[in-house]
Every structure is written in structure tokens, then in C-alpha cells.
Amino acid sequence: MTTISHVRGCLPSTMVDFGKALDTGTTEFTKQVGNMSTAVDKTTANWKGAASSAATAGKISQRLTGTRIDEIVTAVADYYKTYGGRLDATRTAVLKIVDQSAPAAGMKVADDGTVTAPKYPGVPGDIIAQLMQNKLDGQASWLQTQLQELLKEFGEGEDQAATSIKSGVTALATLKNTPTGPMPDLAPIPPPVSPDGKYRIGDPKEPFLKHDDTFIYNSKDGNFSDWLAKQKWQAKLLGGEYVKSDFDDATALYRHYWDNNGKKMEFDYDEAYREDKNIRNSVDSEVNRAAMAADYFARTGNTNFKITGDPNTVAGKNYPATENWQKAIGGHQQWSHANVRVEGNRVTMDVTVEAQDYYDFDKGKSDIGTKAKDSENGRFTEIGWAKPFETHGTITRTVSWDVGQPPSSGVVAETSNPDRNPGREDRSDGRGDGDDGRMPDNDRNTGGARPK
């Protein structure tokens, strides 16, 4: 395990300096190779005799211009600069905790990153003293978690740097023997990753959404019984739209299922957040996880960056609590991406949580509210009368905190207010206002006309 004394003894900034020196040397080398190649071409341009000598000179020119040594050296320079910069930022973050934050709080720090809180004075059984000790122990635990994450990052960064630089040296040795040969393989520089491995610096990367069809579209023939079943379910849909306005989102998506075009449809995730406590918990948890990752990247020297996260499944205890949202999206896939900026000791994150789902029916399952078997509606897919489709929704929040103190649980304290779209809401509590008698449609650009 990487220790504090090891980190203190390293000077990663010298790696950056060496990388810059390599860049400068490579630029000059490339310039001189170009000059030599041009000189050879000019010298042989007017040769009339000595054809073999001219041909040999031509080969020299080709070998000079064809060499890829400069590309390898440039790549090696990038290794030194990138990994050196990351390691130096991590080292700075480690020593800030060890030399400033921990001593200021009266904490002791062991070489392996263990942080011990001071003992709060008081007699045994003193409740106030115990509460204060618990607070100190909590602070020590938090500093220890940060410190050991950084030590782990430093050790992994050293290993990545060593592997990458070694691949560059091997490539140079290969080109020494075959200067005009194919470009050797080089180790890629991975983007920085959060300690949990789920967030990385970079542009948003939409994850794959699995289509788990158990009823295959248009795979069977319909009959009169199917026609009767269609009348029953269409009547249920109309009843839900006119009588049970609490089901506006569920009925909008179900009607689009009957549109039978498979077009992707958007639902109002902000509305889901307001109406369903479990969806609210899942969104808050995702924002908290993203904030933890953003804080880690801020502590390791990044100041203006984007992050993107891996998907997780919203199910189990976070499965929607309301029947409307159980029917509309149920268990779904969730991920987030954010723009983060650090100004002084303050981190501000504009985070977007994305929800993705595939609206279909599953063999062997039943509706939670009505107990109706999924096979009743899945049958309409099999005979080609109704088609599954992808759905999605987004919610954006702005969160701010001091470096090292990201929100870790519960409702985020500092967030933006969701935008209201009255034409897609119900009542004063955010459900079913409608517009001129038109039933809510979560995406005006998809689906058929709603009944007036």
C-alpha cells in the first residue's frame, strides 16, 4: 500500500518538466529530419548519372521522412506530462490533509493514512462529552476516507505511468530496428476515474439500454378473441384518461403503446420526482454519488471539467411507490452527467440525471395495482397491434459545496427549482391540469391525438 512518506518523497512535477523537455526536443528533431530530407531531394534532383547512387539517396530521403520516432517520443512526453500532472495534484491533496486539515482539527495521522481523533475531555457517562467525541470520530473517519482514497489513487497512478512509459520505450526500441515499420501499439491514457470506478472525466456517454422483449412483435396471428380483448383494454384506457386523472403519465404511455409506431417517448422526470418519494430518493442518491465523484476530482486538482457516470438500475426499495409511476416506468435505468467548476474552495455542479426505460410487457409478471397479467397486453405485441418503445426523462439540479464536504445522503440542500410546464400537469399539486380539455401527453411530438 502507498504510504504518506512515499508520497511526500516523490516529486511528480519533475515528470511534467521532463515531458515538456521531450516535446521541445522532438519538435527540433522533426524540424531537422525535414531539413535533411529536403536537402537530399535537392541534391539528387539534377543527377544525370550514377543512377544507383541516386536511388540510394532517394531511399535515405524516404527513410528520413517515413520514420515515426517523433510520434513515439511525443506519446512518451504525453505520458510524463499527463501522469506527472495527475500525481502532483494527488500529492498536493494528500499533503493538504496531512499538514493542514488534520492538524487544524487536532487529528493524528499514521503513515498508512489512518486518522485518529483527539479525546474530548469529560467524565465517563457525560452525554455531552460522548456526543462531541462521536462528532470528532466522524470527522476523523471522513478525513481518513479521503486520505486513503488519495493514497490508493497515487499508487495506481504510479503503476499506470510505469506501464505506459514502458510501452513507449519498447516502441522506440522496435523503431530503432525498423524505422519505417508500422506504428507500434502504445498504452492509451485512461481518463481519471472516481474511487468507486463509476464516474470519469469526459463528455456525457449514454449507456446501452437493453430491450428485454419476451413477447415478439408481429410473430403470431390475431383472432376474434383478441379483438374483444382490445375493446376491453381500450375502454380501460379511456376510463383511466377521463376518470383517474392521477394516472395521466401511465395512460399517456399506454396510449402510445397502442400508437404502434415504436417511437421513443419522453416522460416528465421532474413531475415524477415531485410525486413519487421513491423516485425522489433514487434521484437524490444519484446526485449525491455524482457529487462525491466531482469532489474527488476537485480535490485532485481539476477545476473546470465534465463527468459522466455508469448506469444503475432503479428497483427494489427505490421502485416507484405510486401506481401512476409504477405503470409508467416501473423499474428503470438511471445515469448522470455533470459540468463542474471549482472557484477557490467552492465546488458547483450542474448535474443532469437521466432515466431510461423500455416500455413493454413481460411474460410471467403482473401489474402491481390491478394484478392483471402482463400476458394480456403482451399478446397485442405478438399479433402486431401494439408496439414496445423506449422512454426517457431528465432532471437537472445545481448543487454547491465546500471542497471535501459534498452532500452524502438525503435531499440535496442546495438545488435549482424544476421548470414548470402547466400544459402537462394535472392539479395544483402538479398533476393533471391539461390544456383546453386535452389530456396530458408527455411528449407533444410523439403519440396519437389524445381524446378531447
Side-chain angles (χ1 to χ4, degrees):
M1 178 181 174
T2 305
T3 62
I4 293 171
S5 57
H6 172 77
V7 173
R8 191 184 293 277
C10 293
L11 291 176
S13 59
T14 59
M15 294 175 64
V16 178
D17 294 338
F18 182 67
K20 291 178 179 178
L22 276 180
D23 264 344
T24 301
T26 303
T27 300
E28 183 60 29
F29 170 77
T30 303
K31 178 181 177 181
Q32 292 302 324
V33 167
N35 290 341
M36 287 185 288
S37 177
T38 300
V40 171
D41 288 340
K42 288 181 177 179
T43 301
T44 60
N46 297 316
W47 283 6
K48 303 300 182 182
S52 61
S53 297
T56 300
K59 289 181 180 179
I60 292 174
S61 176
Q62 291 172 7
R63 289 176 69 87
L64 285 171
T65 56
T67 182
R68 310 193 74 167
I69 290 177
D70 60 320
E71 295 181 42
I72 302 296
V73 175
T74 297
V76 172
D78 286 341
Y79 291 150
Y80 276 98
K81 290 186 295 182
T82 301
Y83 288 113
R86 291 181 186 178
L87 289 168
D88 191 51
T90 304
R91 178 180 184 272
T92 299
V94 167
L95 297 184
K96 182 178 179 180
I97 294 175
V98 173
D99 297 338
Q100 299 177 34
S101 302
M107 310 284 180
K108 292 183 179 179
V109 182
D111 201 35
D112 65 353
T114 301
V115 180
T116 305
K119 294 298 180 183
Y120 191 85
V123 298
D126 185 340
I127 296 179
I128 300 298
Q130 184 59 51
L131 290 173
M132 295 303 295
Q133 186 63 55
N134 290 343
K135 183 177 181 179
L136 287 170
D137 290 342
Q139 291 175 339
S141 177
W142 175 238
L143 285 174
Q144 179 173 304
T145 297
Q146 293 187 67
L147 189 53
Q148 292 186 340
E149 284 178 354
L150 291 168
L151 290 173
K152 180 174 180 288
E153 171 70 14
F154 194 91
E156 291 176 349
E158 284 188 309
D159 291 341
Q160 290 174 345
T163 299
S164 297
I165 292 170
K166 182 178 179 180
S167 74
V169 172
T170 301
L172 284 172
T174 300
L175 286 185
K176 177 182 178 182
N177 297 323
T178 55
T180 58
M183 183 72 167
D185 291 332
L186 292 170
I189 300 177
V193 178
S194 61
D196 62 5
K198 294 184 177 180
Y199 300 85
R200 57 198 53 80
I201 289 181
D203 291 327
K205 185 177 181 181
E206 183 174 347
F208 171 75
L209 177 64
K210 182 180 180 181
H211 290 190
D212 54 347
D213 296 278
T214 54
F215 295 99
I216 306 305
Y217 182 75
N218 204 24
S219 60
K220 296 183 179 180
D221 294 327
N223 53 46
F224 184 70
S225 295
D226 295 320
W227 184 85
L228 292 176
K230 176 182 178 180
Q231 306 315 306
K232 180 184 78 172
W233 282 101
Q234 291 282 358
K236 286 177 178 287
L237 172 57
L238 287 172
E241 289 175 327
Y242 280 111
V243 180
K244 296 184 177 180
S245 59
D246 285 357
F247 291 173
D248 61 307
D249 301 279
T251 54
L253 291 170
Y254 184 54
R255 180 167 288 281
H256 186 49
Y257 176 62
W258 280 103
D259 288 341
N260 199 24
N261 57 32
K263 289 182 180 179
K264 191 172 184 176
M265 187 173 182
E266 183 176 0
F267 55 83
D268 193 333
Y269 210 30
D270 256 323
E271 182 185 348
Y273 181 90
R274 292 191 301 273
E275 294 178 355
D276 194 295
K277 65 177 182 179
N278 288 353
I279 291 178
R280 183 161 56 253
N281 288 338
S282 69
V283 170
D284 286 342
S285 295
E286 179 61 27
V287 171
N288 298 150
R289 287 190 292 269
M292 295 282 284
D295 184 75
Y296 169 78
F297 293 132
R299 285 187 281 118
T300 51
N302 298 283
T303 57
N304 194 348
F305 56 95
K306 297 179 180 180
I307 62 172
T308 186
D310 292 337
N312 63 81
T313 300
V314 178
K317 67 177 183 179
N318 282 332
Y319 193 88
T322 59
E323 190 172 356
N324 176 48
W325 290 104
Q326 288 171 359
K327 295 177 185 294
I329 58 176
H332 55 281
Q333 181 169 277
Q334 185 186 76
W335 65 290
S336 67
H337 51 91
N339 295 329
V340 186
R341 56 191 181 277
V342 183
E343 298 174 347
N345 196 48
R346 196 71 177 167
V347 183
T348 301
M349 177 180 73
D350 300 318
V351 58
T352 297
V353 180
E354 307 258 6
Q356 300 172 302
D357 190 40
Y358 184 61
Y359 189 99
D360 66 344
F361 294 88
D362 299 314
K363 284 184 179 179
K365 294 184 179 181
S366 301
D367 181 73
I368 295 175
T370 65
K371 309 303 179 186
K373 293 182 178 180
D374 275 22
S375 57
E376 292 188 50
N377 274 287
R379 170 68 178 168
F380 300 129
T381 293
E382 288 183 321
I383 61 179
W385 289 0
K387 195 168 189 178
F389 56 96
E390 289 186 11
T391 65
H392 68 104
T394 65
I395 185 170
T396 298
R397 294 289 183 264
T398 297
V399 193
S400 187
W401 66 91
D402 289 334
V403 175
Q405 299 178 22
S408 57
S409 63
V411 178
V412 177
E414 216 175 297
T415 65
S416 59
N417 291 322
D419 292 333
R420 291 299 305 275
N421 187 341
R424 284 162 55 173
E425 303 301 336
D426 296 301
R427 310 179 309 216
S428 59
D429 61 358
R431 306 192 340 222
D433 285 346
D435 48 340
D436 298 326
R438 179 184 169 104
M439 298 303 286
D441 175 1
N442 284 317
D443 190 336
R444 301 298 194 205
N445 296 319
T446 63
R450 302 302 183 254
K452 298 294 185 181

